[in-house]
Amino acid sequence: MVSGRGGEGNSPPQASRLVGPLVAAGVGDERGAALIIAELAANAALHGRVPGRNFRLTLTVTGPTLRIEVRDPRVERLPTVRPAPEPDAPRECGHGLLLVEELADRWGVVPELIGKTVWAEIGT
C-alpha cells in the first residue's frame, strides 16, 4: 500500500507520479492510473476541500488489481457523472468523471461519517 496526503506542496500531478513503481511491478496501466489519480485528486482538492483538512490518496495492490482511493472531508458533496458535453460546448471542466468511468474497470463512492472516499480499480 502506498499512501500520501494532499495539501501544500502536494498536487494532483505529484500524486499521479506515485503509480510508476506499481506499474513497473506489473500492476495496471500507468497512463490510465495516472489520469484517474490526477482526476480524483483534483476533484478532492477543488470540491472536497475544508480549510485545515487535506485529502488522502491510498494505492493498494491486490493480485493484478490496483485500487485507487481518494478521501476528502466533505460528505455533502458526492460526485456524479455528468452527461457528455455537446460537440460545440466548452469542455474545460465538469466532465472528468467520464474519464474515470471510461478508464476504470469499476469505481464508486463511499460516504463516511466525516467525509467520503472515491475509489477506482484497474487491472481486474
Side-chain angles (χ1 to χ4, degrees):
M1 176 171 63
V2 177
S3 185
R5 292 188 182 273
E8 297 228 6
N10 293 324
S11 67
Q14 288 172 326
S16 65
R17 290 187 199 117
L18 293 173
V19 79
L22 298 173
V23 174
V27 177
D29 162 46
E30 182 171 7
R31 184 167 186 231
L35 289 170
I36 291 169
I37 291 168
E39 179 58 32
L40 296 183
N43 282 352
L46 291 172
H47 306 296
R49 185 182 166 133
V50 171
R53 309 248 346 243
N54 297 322
F55 68 86
R56 181 179 188 87
L57 168 68
T58 304
L59 305 175
T60 307
V61 176
T62 305
T65 302
L66 172 61
R67 183 176 175 97
I68 301 159
E69 296 180 347
V70 176
R71 186 181 189 291
D72 70 58
R74 299 212 43 197
V75 72
E76 73 278 7
R77 299 193 70 179
L78 298 178
T80 57
V81 178
R82 295 182 185 178
E86 296 295 321
D88 58 347
R91 298 173 187 226
E92 309 226 344
C93 63
H95 302 285
L97 286 178
L98 285 171
L99 178 70
V100 173
E101 190 170 70
E102 182 66 28
L103 294 172
D105 293 314
R106 58 182 170 258
W107 75 279
V109 182
V110 179
E112 299 173 22
L113 182 60
I114 298 175
K116 66 183 170 295
T117 298
V118 182
W119 60 270
E121 293 180 344
I122 61 173
T124 59

